[in-house]
Amino acid sequence: MQRQKVIVKNRLGLHARAAARLVRLASSFQSEIELLRCDARHRVADAKSILGVLMLAATQDTELEVVARGVDEQAALSAVVALINDQFGES
């Protein structure tokens, strides 16, 4: 299992278009990928589920923890973290 914390930096947060990009990317990996909201809400979402990702309600400056488990977990974690750090390609 691999895990890493990231902060959502884009102005609109994890909105529908950004969530769709994340889900497409996560779905390209065999590993199970989860997003955990690191605050009092403690929400957890399957990164391959658009509804789950949107239900995190991750606005700008929300801290998330990305957790990947499986055969390609390191590549999956690196790719998802890179997408979030790149502000979902919206910067």
Side-chain angles (χ1 to χ4, degrees):
M1 176 173 56
Q2 301 284 320
R3 55 187 340 135
Q4 185 174 339
K5 290 186 178 181
V6 291
I7 296 178
V8 176
K9 285 294 185 187
N10 58 316
R11 185 176 55 83
L12 297 174
L14 195 45
H15 58 90
R17 187 173 50 248
R21 277 189 141 176
L22 191 144
V23 169
R24 260 193 314 275
L25 177 65
S27 295
S28 70
F29 293 97
Q30 291 180 5
S31 293
E32 176 184 323
I33 306 167
E34 292 181 330
L35 300 173
L36 292 79
R37 191 174 167 129
C38 301
D39 62 8
R41 295 182 187 181
H42 297 294
R43 292 185 182 160
V44 178
D46 178 353
K48 297 179 182 183
S49 164
I50 188 77
L51 186 57
V53 171
L54 289 172
M55 293 297 291
L56 287 173
T59 58
Q60 185 177 30
D61 296 325
T62 299
E63 184 178 28
L64 299 175
E65 184 170 21
V66 182
V67 179
R69 292 179 204 88
V71 295
D72 54 358
E73 63 188 26
Q74 185 57 54
L77 179 74
S78 296
V80 170
V81 167
L83 180 66
I84 295 170
N85 286 337
D86 186 43
Q87 299 179 27
F88 306 95
E90 298 178 349
S91 55

